[in-house]
Amino acid sequence: LIRPKLAVVPLFSWYKGSFIPSRTWYHDQESTFDGACRWPPSIGNPDDPRNSNADGIADFFLELNERRLKGGPESRAGLQVVTFSHFLPRLELYGGWNALQKVMGCWELDQQLRSIGASFHVFGHSHIFVDRTIEGVRYLQHCLGYPGSGWQPNEPKELCCID
């Protein structure tokens, strides 16, 4: 709780192959995505610890969230709930290259943020500007740019105003 009427809730996240259920295979770019990561056998692929596509990785982070999200929206009555994550909670928020769809997000994130009554969700990862409201939740990704990326720096965007 940051202010009397505002709760900011960070959500742990990782991408999951089921984000694109209609495609069971990975593009070359997706299969080696985040290959510098090394995962313990208990959550990753025991035969390939650098394979970041194992569903157990996302499940591990989702479970960390579940422990913190107990109580549901009624425990946050009267609060504006803002959640944030690195990865995308919905496929329709991604407008980039199809060959990277499977490494963009996780549907269960959306279920979690809605379970606690979030009205705003801020996310990143795809480096694509998004400001869209879907079923009562405003989703925002506002890339600020960084030196050497070719992106133009942008001014911060006001998310909400709490009296």
Side-chain angles (χ1 to χ4, degrees):
L1 191 63
I2 291 182
R3 298 185 63 179
K5 296 180 183 178
L6 176 67
V8 177
V9 182
L11 296 174
F12 294 107
S13 60
W14 198 256
Y15 50 83
K16 203 170 188 180
S18 60
F19 199 53
I20 309 295
S22 61
R23 182 163 52 87
T24 57
W25 50 275
Y26 286 85
H27 282 282
D28 289 342
Q29 295 83 358
E30 293 169 323
S31 63
T32 57
F33 207 81
D34 290 317
C37 297
R38 187 175 182 90
W39 300 100
S42 59
I43 65 170
N45 180 339
D47 299 323
D48 183 4
R50 295 207 185 276
N51 180 348
S52 291
N53 296 318
D55 283 349
I57 300 166
D59 292 340
F60 171 78
F61 288 115
L62 290 165
E63 177 57 32
L64 289 178
N65 294 339
E66 285 299 326
R67 296 177 198 169
R68 296 172 42 237
L69 299 179
K70 294 195 184 331
E74 62 280 350
S75 66
R76 293 164 187 84
L79 293 177
Q80 180 155 27
V81 179
V82 177
T83 56
F84 66 93
S85 65
H86 179 74
F87 293 96
L88 286 69
R90 297 179 73 105
L91 178 59
E92 59 261 58
L93 301 173
Y94 180 63
W97 194 31
N98 287 348
L100 291 178
Q101 287 179 324
K102 279 182 128 13
V103 295
M104 284 296 125
C106 177
W107 287 108
E108 290 92 339
L109 277 173
D110 198 57
Q111 295 166 359
Q112 287 183 333
L113 68 91
R114 288 172 179 281
S115 78
I116 60 168
S119 55
F120 289 99
H121 183 75
V122 180
F123 64 94
H125 190 59
S126 69
H127 299 263
I128 297 171
F129 292 95
V130 175
D131 189 347
R132 187 169 172 194
T133 301
I134 302 171
E135 298 171 5
V137 177
R138 182 179 176 195
Y139 298 91
L140 182 66
Q141 178 173 220
H142 188 68
C143 309
L144 298 177
Y146 49 93
S149 70
W151 292 68
Q152 296 297 316
N154 295 290
E155 293 298 316
K157 189 167 189 158
E158 184 177 299
L159 181 62
C160 60
C161 180
I162 306 293
D163 293 328

